[in-house]
Structures are given as C-alpha cells and as structure tokens.
C-alpha cells in the first residue's frame, strides 16, 4: 500500500509515459504560441489560448515530477525553436483540425498511461490531463461543427436484427463478391484519411520553409506517402458509397520564412509517425477483411522505413533525445 512516508521510485512505465508526453507536449505548446500570434477568428483565438495555457500547465507538472525525482529534464522543444515573428504559414481552419488531431493522439497516450502507471502522484497528473483534454476536445468539436468544418464519419442503415458470422467468407477480401465494410473498418479508413490529410498539409508547410535540402526532400517524401494513403483509403470508401473527409492542403499559406527550427520540424514529424504507426496497427486489428489487413501491414512497413530515414537525419544532426535506458551491468567497475 502506498505510504507518504515511504518514497516509491518511478517505474519504467511511469518514466516512459512522462518522458514521451513531455517531448510531445513541448512541441504542441510552442506550436500554439505561434498560432496565437497569427489568428483572425476571435473564437479560434480563445480556443488556441486555452490550449496554450493547458499545455503550459502540463509541461510544468512533468517538470515538477522530474525535479522531485532528481531526474534529468528532457530538452524537448524550447522557445529557441520557434520564431513567432515569422509570417503566417497556416490558416485558422488548419489550427482547428491540427488541435483536434493532436488532442486525439494525446488522449490515447494519456489513457494508456493511466492504465499502466501505479504511483499515485503520476496517476493524478495523467487523470488531470485527460480531464483538461476532454474539455479541449469538446470545445474544438463544437467550433468545427458550428463553423461547418467537421466531416462526420460515414453513416449506415440501422440493422433490423442481430446477425452472426456464418462462414469464412466474412474474412475474405480478394474476391469480386467481398462483403461490405464493417463499421469498424469504415471508421478506421475514414480516420486514416483525416490524419493523413492533416499530415500532408503540415509537411507541405514544412517543405516551404525549411532551408535544409535533405530535410525538404524528406518532408516531400512524407507528403507523397500521405497523399498516396489518402487516395488509397478514400478509394475504398468511395467504392462503397461512403463519404470521405475534407483535405487541408489549401489551408497552407504561401510564406517561405520559417517559424520553426529544422530540429523542431523533424522531431515533430517523427512524433506523428509514431502515433500514425500505432493507428495503423489498431486499424489492422479492427479489420478482419484480409485485403484491408494486408494493406495496413504493407503501409506499416512503408511508414517504418520512412521513420528510419527520419531517425538517421535526427542522429546525424544530434537532435534525437535518447529515451532513458536500463544501466548496463557490463559498465560496472570491478
């Protein structure tokens, strides 16, 4: 039983969730700082300001735990990585969709953290962050709906009865008479179109402003992959008369002056790749139709190769923070 008189060390799960959440939170926090300088719609401005204050509180809570444990505070993204005086790169519409996407990623991460951490103060931190993000998500969805910017996932006709799978044909996907999509498969395709559309727009903006040719080529490759997946997933949905989400490429403005350091942009892309890969794994698990499962398996392989190329660039520039590791007993003194 936990006792305030007995100090309980952080477990690997707690360190891992605190460490990765800190890195992600510092990225979005400084992105919000930049958004707030360049926003027109008063409703969006109030929303971004709330997101900025929320992310600041989260960052400080992580830092408090690290300092209490005498644990090195990760560098993450700092004010040096953001130039708020740079011209505007994204529209207000992009801001709303970006925050909606990042809140989804963060909620999934925090929910996993709550399930895996055990120390009371760490659990309380992630519970507080989930509560705050639920408020952010509610406010963001309301704004998207009010402004006519929210694409609802596909509808289906309400079933008349409970059905059971009667043959292995349910899992087949390479015949002309393949079964219709389940609601799970439909939703995963829809959500993956949405996330890739957001990634494509973000990478388009990063391509415009980076001064590093290798990074520009890397971002261009990512943009091409995202476009490929948007087309692939949308085609499957459209063949079954399902609606697809809007794309956001037109929400990237023409500026070529970078608001972000190259370190920030490359790190942010690698964070999103990690979340995207996890989503594809979930999509594969929720897609019993074999053609869809194999499609996601191929996509994961391509994305992992792309992630590896990004990791090489991070290491080359000295920008990849190493996650905490177990001490190597071979390094112990005799």
């Amino acid at each position: 039983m936990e006792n305030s008189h007995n100090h309980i060390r952080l477990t690997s799960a707690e360190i891992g969730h605190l460490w990765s959440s800190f890195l992600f939170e510092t990225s979005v926090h400084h992105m919000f700082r930049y958004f707030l300088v360049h926003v027109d719609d008063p409703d969006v401005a109030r929303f971004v300001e709330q997101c900025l204050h929320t992310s600041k509180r989260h960052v400080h809570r992580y830092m408090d735990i690290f300092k209490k444990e005498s644990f090195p505070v990760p560098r993450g993204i700092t004010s040096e990585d953001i130039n708020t005086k740079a011209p505007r790169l994204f529209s207000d519409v992009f801001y709303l969709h970006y925050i909606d996407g990042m809140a989804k990623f963060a909620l999934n991460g925090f929910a996993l953290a709550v399930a895996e951490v055990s120390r009371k103060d760490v659990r309380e931190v992630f519970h507080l962050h989930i509560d705050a993000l639920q408020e952010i998500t509610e406010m963001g969805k309301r704004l998207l709906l009010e402004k006519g910017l929210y694409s609802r996932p596909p509808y289906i006709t309400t079933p008349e009865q409970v059905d059971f799978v009667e043959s292995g044909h349910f899992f087949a996907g390479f015949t002309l008479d393949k079964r219709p999509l389940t609601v799970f498969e439909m939703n995963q395709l829809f959500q993956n179109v949405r996330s890739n559309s957001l990634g494509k727009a973000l990478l388009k903006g990063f391509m415009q402003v980076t001064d590093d040719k290798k990074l520009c080529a890397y971002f261009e490759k990512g943009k091409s992959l995202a476009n490929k997946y948007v087309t692939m997933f949308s085609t499957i949905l459209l063949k079954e008369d399902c609606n697809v989400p809007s794309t956001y490429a037109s929400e990237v403005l023409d500026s070529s002056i970078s608001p972000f350091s190259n370190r920030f942009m490359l790190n942010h892309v690698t964070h999103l790749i990690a979340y995207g890969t996890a989503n594809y794994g979930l999509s594969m698990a929720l897609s019993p139709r074999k053609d869809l499962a194999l499609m996601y398996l191929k996509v994961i392989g391509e994305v992992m190769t792309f992630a590896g190329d990004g990791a090489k660039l991070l290491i080359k520039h000295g920008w990849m923070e190493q996650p905490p590791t177990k001490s190597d007993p071979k390094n112990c003194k005799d």
Side-chain angles (χ1 to χ4, degrees):
M1 184 174 180
E2 287 203 12
N3 188 314
S4 60
H5 300 292
N6 296 322
H7 182 72
I8 298 173
R9 295 165 58 198
L10 292 171
T11 65
S12 57
E14 289 154 357
I15 293 171
H17 283 296
L18 290 166
W19 187 86
S20 59
S21 297
F22 178 87
L23 293 186
F24 178 77
E25 202 87 51
T26 57
S27 291
V28 295
H29 173 71
H30 289 289
M31 186 71 95
F32 298 152
R33 284 184 56 227
Y34 170 68
F35 287 176
L36 195 57
V37 175
H38 304 281
V39 59
D40 296 325
D41 188 316
D43 295 331
V44 179
R46 284 190 290 272
F47 182 46
V48 172
E49 188 169 17
Q50 180 172 341
C51 293
L52 179 65
H53 292 322
T54 298
S55 62
K56 184 177 181 179
R57 284 197 305 271
H58 292 186
V59 168
H60 283 297
R61 284 179 184 140
Y62 298 136
M63 291 178 69
D64 288 343
I65 293 178
F66 286 133
K67 290 175 180 177
K68 184 171 69 174
E69 296 298 314
S70 299
F71 195 95
V73 177
R75 179 180 177 186
I77 297 302
T78 71
S79 57
E80 296 175 358
D81 293 298
I82 303 293
N83 176 15
T84 57
K85 295 180 181 178
R88 185 171 195 173
L89 184 58
F90 301 110
S91 71
D92 286 2
V93 172
F94 178 87
Y95 294 171
L96 289 176
H97 287 292
Y98 173 88
I99 294 170
D100 185 61
M102 296 308 104
K104 178 184 175 183
F105 289 148
L107 273 173
N108 288 339
F110 293 164
L112 183 60
V114 165
E116 294 182 345
V117 304
S118 52
R119 212 173 83 172
K120 183 179 178 182
D121 58 336
V122 181
R123 289 202 316 272
E124 288 174 348
V125 161
F126 283 112
H127 276 297
L128 286 170
H129 292 186
I130 286 175
D131 291 344
L133 267 181
Q134 286 177 327
E135 187 176 342
I136 292 289
T137 301
E138 178 63 27
M139 186 175 179
K141 285 286 194 297
R142 188 174 71 249
L143 282 173
L144 285 166
L145 288 165
E146 287 175 354
K147 296 179 184 299
L149 299 171
Y150 187 76
S151 298
R152 293 180 185 272
Y155 292 94
I156 67 164
T157 304
T158 302
E160 296 180 357
Q161 62 187 27
V162 175
D163 292 320
F164 292 87
V165 175
E166 296 180 349
S167 76
H169 178 67
F170 179 80
F171 302 98
F174 298 106
T175 59
L176 292 176
D177 62 338
K178 65 184 68 173
R179 64 157 172 78
L181 296 170
T182 67
V183 288
F184 303 109
E185 292 165 341
M186 205 179 300
N187 183 54
Q188 289 303 308
L189 288 163
F190 185 89
Q191 300 302 335
N192 286 324
V193 173
R194 177 179 281 165
S195 60
N196 275 283
S197 295
L198 184 65
K200 178 183 170 183
L202 188 71
L203 286 162
K204 179 184 177 184
F206 287 176
M207 280 174 58
Q208 284 180 196
V209 299
T210 182
D211 57 0
D212 186 307
K213 291 183 179 179
K214 289 187 177 180
L215 259 64
C216 185
Y218 182 69
F219 295 152
E220 185 173 15
K221 182 179 179 181
K223 179 173 170 283
S224 296
L225 276 178
N227 189 59
K228 172 184 172 180
Y229 300 149
V230 166
T231 302
M232 183 189 303
F233 303 145
S234 296
T235 298
I236 297 170
L237 288 169
L238 291 171
K239 279 183 179 178
E240 302 213 20
D241 297 322
C242 298
N243 60 297
V244 297
S246 303
T247 57
Y248 317 120
S250 61
E251 307 306 330
V252 184
L253 307 185
D254 294 332
S255 176
S256 59
I257 299 173
S258 185
F260 318 114
S261 72
N262 288 328
R263 187 179 83 91
F264 168 84
M265 290 187 284
L266 187 55
N267 268 288
H268 198 36
V269 169
T270 56
H271 287 157
L272 299 186
I273 291 171
Y275 287 114
T277 305
N279 281 342
Y280 293 135
L282 176 63
S283 296
M284 186 166 65
L286 293 174
S287 301
R289 217 173 77 178
K290 289 181 180 178
D291 60 323
L292 299 179
L294 288 174
M295 175 191 70
Y296 285 122
L297 186 62
K298 182 180 178 182
V299 167
I300 289 172
E302 291 174 345
V303 173
M304 291 301 292
T305 299
F306 180 62
D309 293 339
K312 290 175 185 176
L313 286 170
L314 284 170
I315 293 168
K316 177 183 175 182
H317 289 285
W319 294 338
M320 178 181 279
E321 289 195 59
Q322 180 174 303
T325 61
K326 193 177 188 298
S327 59
D328 188 348
K330 289 182 289 187
N331 291 331
C332 294
K333 295 180 180 180
D334 293 332

